[in-house]
C-alpha cells in the first residue's frame, strides 16, 4: 500500500529517497514520486514502478531535504496527476499522504470557492492547499499543519515540505510513520524496512502525534498542541537487511525459509516437561485461562485462514467455543463483547486497517485483545500491548507464506497452553509438542522432494477456474491454497469444505476441471474420499495433497505427498505444496510473482 520516505541532513536527498522507495516496493503500488527542496521545491512523479520514475528524472536533483511516496490508488485513478507529492497552489507547501481524508469533498469544495484550482482527483491534494492557507496566517509550518489537520477527518500519515523553511513536519493518525534518528540527519518512513540501512534509533509516531524535523532535532507534540508521550526506541534486529540471495523471487525464498521461521517461532515456547505451551507475552496464567468463556480471532486474507485453524485447534484442545472472524465485517455487525473472553488479532504487518478497527471496537466495549503479530513495534502490536510475536522475520513477497505457517504454529502453542489449563492430559500435550517440534525438519524433507508440482501446474495454468477442497483442519488450508493461486496467478479459485461441494460447486465441474484436494491421514479422510469420487464421476482431474505411504494416493490424477505428521499440525505440511503450485503457476503465466497487480502488502485503508 502507499509508502512514505523522507530525508533531511547533510547528504544529497534524491539518491536516498529513491533507495528508500526501492525498499518500500514490496508493499505494492501503482505510481511514485519525489520532491526535493533546493530554494524551490522540485517535484517529479510518474505512474509505474520506481524504475519508471528514474527514467523521467533529471541527471542531478540537488538538495538535501526531500520527501517521496509510492501510491496505491484509492481516490482517483492511476495517473501522473494523482501521484504524490502534491503541491499547494502557490508552491509553498508540498505533501505526501497515506490514509484517507473522509471530508475531502467538503475541503475541495471550500478550496474551489476560494479560487484554488485543484490539479488532481485525490483527497490528499486538498491538505496541501489547506496547509498553505494556514501558513499565510503566521508563517509557522508546525502550526499550519496542526490547524490544517484539525479541519480534516479521516486517517493520515503525512509529511510536509515548505519552500521557505528547512524542516519537514509530519503527523500520524491511523497510518504508520517512523522517524529514524541519524547523526546530524533524520529520516522518516512508513515502514521500518526502509530505515534499517541508516539507523536503529527510531521513534514510532502514535496516533495524534505531530513531529517537526530538522537535521539535528525532532520536536514532538500532539495535534491538540500538548506534549506527546511518544519515546524513542531501538529498531528490532529482525528488520535487518533481507535480500534475495540466490533466489529468483522473495516468495520462493520465503517458502524455503519456513523451516527456520517455525523453529524461531516455537523455540523456548514449549514446556516439554509439563506438556504445555509457554507464551509469556500473553500475560495469562493457567487460572486466567481456566476461566475464559470463549475465544474470538480476527484477521484478513491469509491471517483469517490461519485464525480459522486456530479456532479449530482451540475448540479441539480446550473445549471452549472459539470463532474466527473476518476483521472487515466485525465492527459493522455490532458484535457483543464479553470482557472476560479472549480476543486475538492475527496479522503479519500489524498495520491492517480492518483489523485495527476491529480491535478498537472490542476495546471500546471493554474487551481485551492479544496480538498474534509479525512486525515488531507495529501499530497493532502496540495497540494490543500483549500477545505473541510470530517471529517469521521480514516477509517481502506480497503473497504471505512463512507468516501463515508461523501464525498457525503460534496459535497451536496457545491452543496447547489453554488446553492444558482446562482439558487435555500431559501425555496428549507432549504428543503435540513432539509433532510441532518435528515440523521444521519435515518441511525441509518435503522441500527436498517436492513431488509432481509441475504436473499440477500443467493442469491448473489454463483452467477457467480451480476448486480447492478440504475437510476439518484442511478446509482453511484449501482456502489458503486458493487465495495464493488466485492472487498471484489471477486464476479464479473457489475453496470449499469438501462436504459442501455437492451442495453447489459441483455444478462447475466438467471434463478436465482441476480440483485440488487437501487430504491428510486424519479422521475425516474417508469422507473426503467420497467427495473425490463425486468429482471424478464428473470428469474432474484430481490433484491430491496427501501423506506419504497413504493408500489414498490411488484416488488422485496428480498425487503430491508430504511426510506424515501429528494430525493437528498437518496444515504446516500440506500448505507448502499449495504455495509451490501457486508460485510455479504464476511463473508459467509470466505474472509478477512478488508484486501481483492491484495488491498491497499491508492494507492500511478500510
Ligand atoms: C495474502 C495476503 C493478504 C494478507 C491480508 C492481511 O497472501 O498477504 O491476504 O494476509 O491483507 O494482512 P496482515 O496479515 O498484514 O494483517
Amino acid at each position: 500500500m502507499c509508502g512514505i520516505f523522507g530525508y533531511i541532513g547533510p547528504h544529497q536527498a534524491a539518491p536516498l529517497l529513491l533507495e528508500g522507495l526501492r525498499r518500500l516496493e514490496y508493499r505494492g503500488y501503482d505510481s511514485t514520486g519525489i520532491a526535493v527542496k533546493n530554494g524551490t521545491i522540485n517535484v517529479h512523479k510518474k505512474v509505474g514502478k520506481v524504475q519508471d520514475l528514474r527514467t523521467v528524472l533529471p541527471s542531478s536533483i540537488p538538495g538535501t531535504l526531500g520527501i517521496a511516496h509510492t501510491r496505491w490508488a484509492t481516490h482517483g485513478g492511476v495517473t501522473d496527476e494523482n501521484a504524490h507529492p502534491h503541491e499547494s497552489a502557490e508552491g509553498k507547501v508540498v505533501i505526501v499522504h497515506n490514509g484517507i481524508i473522509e471530508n475531502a469533498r467538503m475541503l475541495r469544495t471550500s478550496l474551489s470557492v476560494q479560487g484554488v484550482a485543484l490539479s488532481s482527483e485525490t483527497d490528499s491534494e486538498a491538505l496541501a492547499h489547506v496547509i498553505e492557507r494556514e501558513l499565510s496566517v503566521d508563517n509557522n509550518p508546525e502550526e499550519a499543519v496542526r490547524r490544517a489537520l484539525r479541519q480534516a477527518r479521516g486517517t493520515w500519515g503525512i509529511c510536509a515540505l515548505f519552500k521557505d523553511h528547512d524542516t519537514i513536519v509530519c503527523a500520524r493518525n491511523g497510518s504508520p510513520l517512523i522517524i529514524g534518528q541519524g547523526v546530524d540527519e533524520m529520516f522518516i518512513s512508513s515502514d521500518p524496512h526502509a530505515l534499517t540501512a541508516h539507523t536503529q534509533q527510531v521513534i514510532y509516531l502514535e496516533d495524534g502525534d505531530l513531529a517537526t524535523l530538522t537535521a539535528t532535532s525532532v520536536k514532538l507534540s500532539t495535534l491538540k498542541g500538548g506534549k506527546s508521550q511518544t519515546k524513542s526506541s531501538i529498531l528490532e534486529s529482525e528488520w535487518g537487511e533481507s535480500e534475495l540471495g540466490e533466489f529468483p523471487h522473495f516468495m520462493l525464498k520465503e517458502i524455503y525459509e519456513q523451516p527456520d521461521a517455525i523453529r524461531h517461532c516455537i523455540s523456548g515456547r514449549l514446556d516439554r516437561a509439563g506438556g504445555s505451551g509457554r507464551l509469556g507475552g500473553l500475560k495469562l496464567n493457567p487460572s486466567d485461562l481456566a476461566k475464559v468463556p470463549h475465544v474470538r480471532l480476527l484477521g484478513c486474507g491469509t491471517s483469517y485462514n490461519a485464525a480459522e485453524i486456530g479456532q479449530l485447534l482451540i475448540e479441539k484442545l480446550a473445549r471452549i467455543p472459539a470463532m474466527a472472524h473476518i476483521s472487515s465485517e466485525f465492527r459493522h455487525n455490532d458484535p457483543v463483547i464479553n470482557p472476560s473472553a479472549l480476543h486475538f488479532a492475527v496479522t503479519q504487518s500489524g498495520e491492517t486497517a480492518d483489523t485495527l478497527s476491529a480491535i478498537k471496537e472490542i476495546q471500546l466495549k471493554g474487551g481485551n485483545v492479544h496480538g498474534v503479530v509479525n512486525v515488531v513495534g507495529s501499530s497493532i502490536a502496540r495497540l494490543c500491548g500483549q500477545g505473541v510475536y510470530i517471529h517469521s522475520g521480514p516477509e517481502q513477497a506480497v503473497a504471505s507464506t512463512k507468516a501463515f505457517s508461523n501464525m498457525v504454529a503460534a496459535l497451536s502453542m496457545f491452543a496447547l497452553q489453554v488446553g492444558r489449563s482446562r482439558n487435555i492430559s500431559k501425555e496428549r500435550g507432549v504428543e503435540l509438542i513432539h509433532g510441532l517440534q518435528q515440523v521444521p525438519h519435515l518441511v525441509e524433507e518435503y522441500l527436498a522432494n517436492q513431488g509432481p508440482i509441475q504436473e499440477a501446474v500443467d493442469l491448473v495454468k489454463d483452467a477457467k477456474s480451480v476448486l480447492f477442497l478440504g475437510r476439518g483442519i484442511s478446509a482453511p488450508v484449501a482456502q489458503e491454497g486458493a487465495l495464493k493461486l488466485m492472487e498471484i496467478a489471477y486464476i479464479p479459485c473457489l475453496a470449499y469444505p469438501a462436504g459442501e461441494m455437492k451442495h453447489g460447486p459441483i455444478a462447475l465441474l466438467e471434463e478436465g476441471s482441476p480440483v485440488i484436494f487437501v487430504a491428510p491421514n486424519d479422521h475425516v479422510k474417508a469422507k473426503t474420499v467420497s467427495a473425490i469420487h463425486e468429482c471424478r464421476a464428473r470428469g474432474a482431474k484430481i490433484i491430491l495433497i496427501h501423506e506419504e505411504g497413504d493408500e489414498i494416493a490411488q484416488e488422485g490424477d496428480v498425487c503430491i505427498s508430504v511426510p506424515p505428521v501429528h494430525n493437528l499440525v498437518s496444515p504446516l505440511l500440506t500448505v507448502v505444496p499449495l504455495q509451490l503450485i501457486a508460485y510455479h503457476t504464476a511463473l508459467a503465466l509470466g505474472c509478477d510473482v512478488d508484486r501481483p497487480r492491484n495488491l498491497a502488502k499491508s492494507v492500511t485503508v478500510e
Side-chain angles (χ1 to χ4, degrees):
M1 191 133 287
C2 302
I4 286 177
F5 193 78
Y7 175 76
I8 176 164
H11 301 294
Q12 288 300 306
L16 289 164
L17 296 177
L18 289 168
E19 176 57 14
L21 290 184
R22 191 191 67 76
R23 284 171 192 273
L24 296 176
E25 281 197 303
Y26 79 97
R27 297 166 62 97
Y29 61 99
D30 47 53
S31 29
T32 55
I34 63 171
V36 177
K37 183 185 168 219
N38 185 29
T40 58
I41 303 175
N42 293 305
V43 176
H44 305 274
K45 50 191 190 176
K46 175 132 187 69
V47 166
K49 308 271 180 208
V50 178
Q51 204 41 47
D52 300 307
L53 176 66
R54 283 181 194 273
T55 62
V56 297
L57 293 179
S59 55
S60 147
I61 308 173
T64 59
L65 169 54
I67 54 179
H69 193 259
T70 54
R71 174 173 191 250
W72 186 84
T74 53
H75 280 62
V78 181
T79 63
D80 289 349
E81 292 72 30
N82 289 342
H84 299 218
H86 289 290
E87 289 175 82
S88 61
E90 291 173 28
K92 292 185 180 165
V93 178
V94 172
I95 64 137
V96 290
H97 165 239
N98 288 351
I100 290 180
I101 302 303
E102 289 163 7
N103 59 341
R105 189 189 289 264
M106 190 272 281
L107 293 174
R108 287 173 66 98
T109 309
S110 104
L111 287 161
S112 299
V113 169
Q114 289 163 30
V116 175
L118 289 129
S119 54
S120 78
E121 304 158 315
T122 65
D123 53 338
S124 309
E125 185 195 347
L127 291 176
H129 299 297
V130 178
I131 295 171
E132 184 173 78
R133 191 173 65 191
E134 294 300 330
L135 194 63
S136 67
V137 174
D138 53 7
N139 200 25
N140 180 327
E142 181 177 317
E143 292 309 322
V145 171
R146 180 172 284 118
R147 287 194 297 268
L149 290 178
R150 281 194 196 152
Q151 296 163 49
R153 218 182 48 237
T155 55
W156 54 81
I158 182 173
C159 291
L161 268 190
F162 302 85
K163 183 167 97 35
D164 302 323
H165 302 267
D166 284 341
T167 186
I168 298 175
V169 178
C170 37
R172 170 189 165 135
N173 184 40
S175 246
L177 273 185
I178 308 153
I179 297 167
Q181 299 171 279
V183 179
D184 296 336
E185 59 184 355
M186 297 288 166
F187 302 84
I188 179 97
S189 175
S190 53
D191 186 318
H193 258 305
L195 293 174
T196 47
H198 304 291
T199 178
Q200 300 297 306
Q201 192 74 42
V202 293
I203 300 172
Y204 287 92
L205 293 187
E206 296 290 348
D207 283 351
D209 277 347
L210 197 140
T212 303
L213 311 185
T214 68
T216 52
S217 69
V218 181
K219 183 177 165 229
L220 286 175
S221 59
T222 65
L223 195 59
K224 290 187 179 139
K227 201 169 170 313
S228 163
Q229 300 304 317
T230 304
K231 299 274 175 299
S232 168
S233 59
I234 301 293
L235 206 55
E236 290 288 321
S237 54
E238 283 191 14
W239 288 98
E241 195 62 30
S242 176
E243 296 296 346
L244 272 176
E246 291 161 9
F247 288 91
H249 299 100
F250 279 109
M251 182 175 176
L252 190 64
K253 176 173 184 256
E254 288 158 9
I255 290 172
Y256 273 81
E257 282 172 349
Q258 288 178 112
D260 276 344
I262 297 169
R263 277 188 189 103
H264 206 164
C265 178
I266 63 176
S267 134
R269 289 167 157 182
L270 290 169
D271 167 14
R272 242 193 124 94
S276 185
R278 199 164 38 200
L279 296 169
L282 290 178
K283 302 180 188 156
L284 292 168
N285 57 42
S287 65
D288 296 330
L289 289 174
K291 286 185 263 174
V292 169
H294 64 258
V295 181
R296 285 180 142 166
L297 305 104
L298 303 145
C300 303
T302 287
S303 303
Y304 170 73
N305 294 337
E308 281 211 318
I309 294 175
Q311 162 194 319
L312 292 165
L313 291 172
I314 293 164
E315 288 214 348
K316 183 142 219 118
L317 294 172
R319 309 305 302 150
I320 41 171
M323 184 73 199
H325 298 265
I326 290 181
S327 304
S328 55
E329 286 292 295
F330 193 72
R331 167 165 82 105
H332 307 288
N333 293 338
D334 193 15
V336 176
I337 298 301
N338 178 342
S340 316
L342 264 183
H343 303 93
F344 285 103
V346 186
T347 168
Q348 189 286 129
S349 63
E351 303 295 348
T352 302
D354 289 323
T355 304
L356 268 165
S357 300
I359 296 169
K360 287 179 185 161
E361 170 79 8
I362 295 167
Q363 292 179 337
L364 204 69
K365 291 180 170 169
N368 243 330
V369 188
H370 289 75
V372 178
V373 179
N374 190 33
V375 177
V376 177
S378 56
S379 303
I380 291 179
R382 285 176 297 125
L383 186 62
C384 293
Q386 57 201 349
V388 192
Y389 279 122
I390 63 168
H391 294 311
S392 302
E395 192 181 64
Q396 299 205 51
V398 164
S400 185
T401 52
K402 60 178 181 168
F404 172 82
S405 293
N406 279 22
M407 286 166 184
V408 171
L411 290 169
S412 313
M413 290 187 289
F414 169 72
L416 176 63
Q417 194 164 329
V418 66
R420 278 290 289 130
S421 72
R422 322 171 52 116
N423 182 53
I424 61 164
S425 67
K426 184 169 123 187
E427 289 65 36
R428 252 187 100 192
V430 170
E431 266 173 36
L432 180 58
I433 290 180
H434 181 64
L436 206 44
Q437 285 176 328
Q438 278 187 317
V439 166
H441 163 70
L442 296 179
V443 175
E444 272 162 357
E445 208 175 288
Y446 170 70
L447 286 171
N449 182 14
Q450 297 173 7
I453 296 288
Q454 199 49 51
E455 284 178 40
V457 171
D458 291 340
L459 279 182
V460 301
K461 75 177 188 332
D462 300 315
K464 275 197 291 201
S465 67
V466 183
L467 184 58
F468 286 73
L469 300 172
R471 274 190 108 104
I473 206 164
S474 300
V477 180
Q479 264 167 227
E480 177 58 9
L483 177 62
K484 287 292 89 94
L485 184 62
M486 179 174 61
E487 68 182 340
I488 64 168
Y490 317 141
I491 298 174
C493 294
L494 201 60
Y496 260 82
E500 191 64 8
M501 188 264 312
K502 57 187 178 295
H503 297 289
I506 197 167
L508 291 177
L509 299 181
E510 51 191 43
E511 199 59 40
S513 302
V515 182
I516 301 187
F517 274 90
V518 184
N521 193 8
D522 59 16
H523 69 292
V524 286
K525 186 184 70 176
K527 294 275 183 210
T528 307
V529 171
S530 310
I532 296 178
H533 290 165
E534 289 154 14
C535 291
R536 288 185 76 107
R538 271 99 194 155
K541 290 280 181 208
I542 310 298
I543 298 164
L544 183 61
I545 314 297
H546 66 94
E547 285 182 13
E548 239 163 66
D550 188 345
E551 61 192 19
I552 196 178
Q554 67 206 29
E555 306 288 348
D557 295 292
V558 175
C559 296
I560 300 172
S561 67
V562 297
V565 69
H566 190 297
N567 284 168
L568 295 186
V569 289
S570 67
L572 294 170
L573 267 299
T574 51
V575 78
V576 185
L578 300 181
Q579 296 166 341
L580 288 168
I581 291 172
Y583 172 78
H584 288 289
T585 305
L587 265 194
L589 295 174
C591 302
D592 186 342
V593 176
D594 282 342
R595 283 177 233 130
R597 69 181 178 210
N598 301 339
L599 283 168
K601 185 63 184 163
S602 76
V603 183
T604 51
V605 291
E606 275 185 75

